[in-house]
Amino acid sequence: MSAEERVVAGVQPVIEALGREGRVDRVLMARSAGGATHRVRDAARARGVRVDTVSKDELSKRYGSDRHQGVIAIVEPGAATLSEVEELVDLADARGEAPLILILDGIQDPQNLGAILRSAHALGAHGVVLPKHRSAQITASVVKASAGAALHVPVCRTTNIKHALDRLQPLGVWSAAAVAEGSPADKSRLDGPLALVIGSEGEGVKPTVARRCDHQVAIPQLAEFDSLNASVAAGILLYEVQRQRRSAAPS
């Protein structure tokens, strides 16, 4: 695999990739692939994408594991990658919607990042901001963990989260950090233009980043427990944002 190639593995992620214009160069399918892969073949045929039959060992060599379900796609590098956080606000404005931006402060587990991107896509986030360093990045494993949603969510990479927040504030985007000692999310105003900051699996949102945010919010829990998984917390808070937006919308 060349440095320019990027692999998407698994039946549903490949179908998602085939649903995006101009992304898939070709599909590789194992000779012994299971019945579910016929959906991939049909989707590739509809898009005019070449399907090559190869050995299972060849797929494992390219993907690096045997969790490819007998099919991979070679796609153009990168999801929708933006260079400036302001572009995420522009995307929201173009849809006539209040910006909803997810800022991830040091998420390092690819499975967590994939799950967060899946929730971000399902719950209407206009994009995700990722640190360039000390953070998981968009890889084949992340795309698979997201069930292909990572191919739909615009991503902006930044060297400094606090600077990203500083650039969003003049555009009318408020910020809320998810922290254990924050105000209950369902009692906080989250229905306006919002940047939601989710912290790392072990340390949470850095204190300096949390202090920089306009609000600090927490998820009320019925049982005493240390903390929720970062991807679970992101999904719950994104849902709460959309719940509040629906409630605030004129009937």
Side-chain angles (χ1 to χ4, degrees), residues 149-216:
L151 299 171
H152 298 271
V153 180
V155 172
C156 177
R157 300 178 68 216
T158 183
T159 56
N160 190 301
I161 287 177
K162 287 183 287 185
H163 289 173
L165 291 168
D166 288 340
R167 294 170 68 172
L168 288 169
Q169 187 178 48
L171 301 176
V173 179
W174 290 64
S175 54
V179 297
E181 65 277 10
S183 302
D186 57 339
K187 306 298 183 184
S188 304
R189 284 292 303 273
L190 302 175
D191 58 321
L194 183 69
L196 181 62
V197 184
I198 303 293
S200 66
E201 296 86 351
E203 300 178 1
V205 178
K206 295 183 184 67
T208 55
V209 173
R211 287 195 294 269
R212 170 60 192 80
C213 292
D214 299 298
H215 304 290
Q216 297 184 15

Side-chain angles (χ1 to χ4, degrees), residues 135-152:
S135 171
Q137 301 299 324
I138 309 299
T139 63
S141 295
V142 170
V143 174
K144 189 171 189 299
S146 74
L151 299 171
H152 298 271

Side-chain angles (χ1 to χ4, degrees), residues 24-62:
V24 179
D25 176 61
R26 66 190 184 281
V27 172
L28 305 181
M29 189 173 294
R31 295 186 181 92
S32 58
T37 55
H38 71 84
R39 295 164 51 213
V40 176
R41 195 180 294 276
D42 291 345
R45 185 180 296 116
R47 282 286 311 279
V49 174
R50 189 180 85 199
V51 178
D52 293 336
T53 302
V54 299
S55 69
K56 185 177 179 181
D57 287 344
E58 174 66 13
L59 294 187
S60 297
K61 179 181 177 182
R62 284 179 175 267

